[in-house]
Amino acid sequence: MAVTEDPIPPRLHARTVEIADPGYLPELMPSAGSYAWLRHGDGMVGWGEVVRHKATTIDEAEEWWRELCAGVVEDCELSRPPAGAGLMAFGSFVFDPANTSAQSALIVPERVIGRAAGRAWVTTIGTSPNTPWSPTRLPLVPPRSVSFADGELSGPEWEAVVAEAVRRINAGGAAGGYDLDKVVLARDLLAEADADLDPRWLVARLAADYSRCWTYLVDGLVGATPEMLIRREGGLATSRVLAGTIRRTGDDRRDLALAAALAQSSKDLEEHEYAVASVARALAPFCSGMHVPESPYVLELPNVLHLATDVTAVAKDPSSLALAAALHPSAAVCGTPTEAARETIREIEQLDRERYTGPVGWIDARGDGEWGIALRCGQISATDPRQIRLFAGCGIVAGSDPEAELAESNAKLVPMRDALGE
């Protein structure tokens, strides 16, 4: 039986009522113990902790969630409640359980405020679900005097790791006894402010600047991901695959030319093809009527341009979390073939990714949910809240250039660096 950090209270209830539009969601969160999932101004924020499951695998967390849902009394006053209304949990999972000291978690909050499609609601979870709620708004506190330092590797050291990955790919089966087509390598950057960081400030900045992304805050992991690992609502499953990136210049005409070049780049198209194929293969046993576009489109974000493909399918029985387990790790964050890429990462990356590139998101009692890939993010230190560890990564294939990959990783650090600006 799954073990929780705190025992599940007897007769756990979840009560949901419709409310007037609560306004700006980040300001509703307390400064500590908060969660967020936002896009285009909608989404959910929450706080408190009814129960936490320290998961060893995503599959095990999904089993625990089904058992929990079976014993909870739900009282939802919304007609045709949207996904996320009612009993739900926020979650964040490590990239590689065999290569980290971090812990995955699925957390049931005490309170959730949600807004979607012009409707808003509040859910109270616990043994006293009738506890009234009235909005309390606290000012967001910007970080002050933030300094940055190299993480585990300096820029030149990381370039050397990329060069080693390229050598192994080009060496084929002679390197480590296996063929390797693509491997995703990550790096980190350390930031420190002169006072405790307010995660709500980071959420607000990211949600405003990257509204097309999914902004998240779960257990100190905060970011804005452009990549949806899986979204399940009713019978429809959607996965957005990103692979192939170029930094924007800020000049519209030059960026238009860069977008055209990206769409024709053999290196980037090769990397993207691996990622799309891995998602389609993983979803196939659980879905029907799958649609995989023949070619990607260019997703324009404020800092970068991505090659993107939206894979859609009719979901069968699995929950969003079960689908996330089937998809993780995709070629977009690990490589191809999966086992060869994962072993290469363990051997040469020299980094504990923790929950970077793992699934992050939420699930409700119906199994609907959204699980993004934890990208463009940072992990606030649990022992020193003035510190945050930022992450970025790049897909390495046979034609990769270490200097260009370092420049791409720096572009991917821009969202978090900007959010930390005063």
Side-chain angles (χ1 to χ4, degrees):
M1 183 177 177
V3 178
T4 60
E5 182 174 333
D6 297 306
I8 298 173
R11 300 294 294 173
L12 194 65
H13 289 71
R15 183 169 186 265
T16 303
V17 297
E18 196 153 4
I19 59 174
D21 190 327
Y24 193 49
L25 293 176
E27 289 183 344
L28 298 174
M29 301 187 291
S31 57
S34 296
Y35 318 96
W37 184 265
L38 302 170
R39 187 170 187 253
H40 291 313
D42 283 351
M44 294 178 288
V45 297
W47 55 89
E49 185 176 308
V50 175
V51 63
R52 169 192 296 251
H53 178 62
K54 290 184 174 180
T56 54
T57 67
I58 306 172
D59 282 326
E60 184 233 346
E62 199 273 339
E63 180 182 353
W64 175 84
W65 178 246
R66 283 190 284 108
E67 292 176 0
L68 175 68
C69 291
V72 174
V73 178
E74 280 212 80
D75 175 16
C76 183
E77 297 183 4
L78 279 69
S79 61
R80 295 186 178 182
L87 178 68
M88 60 83 64
F90 293 95
S92 177
F93 294 86
V94 299
F95 167 73
D96 183 359
N99 192 35
T100 185
S101 60
Q103 182 76 56
S104 300
L106 200 59
I107 306 166
V108 180
E110 294 177 356
R111 191 90 66 178
V112 180
I113 311 298
R115 181 174 58 219
R119 304 173 70 189
W121 66 90
V122 56
T123 298
T124 304
I125 306 170
T127 55
S128 301
N130 293 317
T131 305
W133 173 79
S134 58
T136 300
R137 299 186 181 276
L138 299 173
L140 307 178
V141 181
R144 300 194 309 270
S145 303
V146 178
S147 60
F148 296 90
D150 286 334
E152 294 295 328
L153 299 176
S154 67
E157 289 171 336
W158 192 73
E159 287 181 334
V161 172
V162 172
E164 170 60 16
V166 172
R167 186 192 70 79
R168 293 190 180 204
I169 292 169
N170 288 323
Y178 51 71
D179 290 311
L180 181 66
D181 297 318
K182 172 188 173 181
V183 62
V184 179
L185 295 176
R187 59 183 286 245
D188 64 341
L189 186 70
L190 303 179
E192 182 173 334
D194 65 358
D196 289 358
L197 293 167
D198 182 355
R200 302 168 311 138
W201 171 271
L202 302 179
V203 167
R205 284 289 303 271
L206 291 168
D209 294 345
Y210 295 86
S211 63
R212 297 184 68 182
C213 297
W214 290 267
T215 296
Y216 56 91
L217 170 63
V218 180
D219 226 19
L221 183 71
V222 57
T225 181
E227 190 154 359
M228 176 57 64
L229 182 64
I230 194 70
R231 179 180 189 267
R232 179 188 183 274
E233 184 170 2
L236 183 64
T238 306
S239 180
R240 172 171 291 177
V241 184
L242 303 183
T245 304
I246 194 166
R247 187 169 188 167
R248 299 191 72 160
T249 66
D251 181 283
D252 289 343
R253 293 184 65 182
R254 289 185 64 190
D255 286 347
L256 187 63
L258 287 174
L262 180 64
Q264 298 174 16
S265 164
S266 58
K267 178 264 182 187
D268 291 294
L269 288 170
E270 177 188 16
E271 179 187 346
H272 191 82
E273 183 179 351
Y274 288 137
V276 173
S278 74
V279 167
R281 283 194 304 269
L283 280 180
F286 307 98
C287 299
S288 62
M290 187 180 301
H291 174 64
V292 182
E294 292 185 1
S295 58
Y297 63 93
V298 177
L299 176 65
E300 299 182 12
L301 298 177
N303 60 320
V304 293
L305 304 169
H306 286 296
L307 288 180
T309 295
D310 291 336
V311 177
T312 57
V314 177
K316 297 178 183 176
D317 293 331
S319 71
S320 61
L321 199 50
L323 291 172
L327 285 167
H328 178 74
S330 72
V333 296
C334 183
T336 304
T338 302
E339 288 307 316
R342 184 154 43 194
E343 188 58 35
T344 301
I345 290 168
R346 292 170 180 169
E347 290 175 3
I348 71 173
E349 192 173 63
Q350 303 178 52
L351 177 71
D352 182 351
R353 292 191 186 188
E354 301 184 19
R355 291 177 288 151
Y356 171 65
T357 65
V360 60
W362 59 272
I363 185 171
D364 67 18
R366 296 173 293 278
D368 287 341
E370 294 178 299
W371 295 95
I373 299 177
L375 303 173
R376 315 294 192 270
C377 64
Q379 175 65 51
I380 298 174
S381 171
T383 57
D384 187 351
R386 299 174 303 162
Q387 299 179 351
I388 184 170
R389 188 172 176 229
L390 312 183
F391 296 91
C394 298
I396 311 303
V397 294
S400 293
D401 173 68
E403 186 177 351
E405 299 299 341
L406 181 64
E408 179 181 320
S409 72
N410 286 331
K412 291 174 177 177
L413 288 167
V414 166
M416 288 303 302
R417 294 194 65 148
D418 285 352
L420 286 163
E422 294 187 27

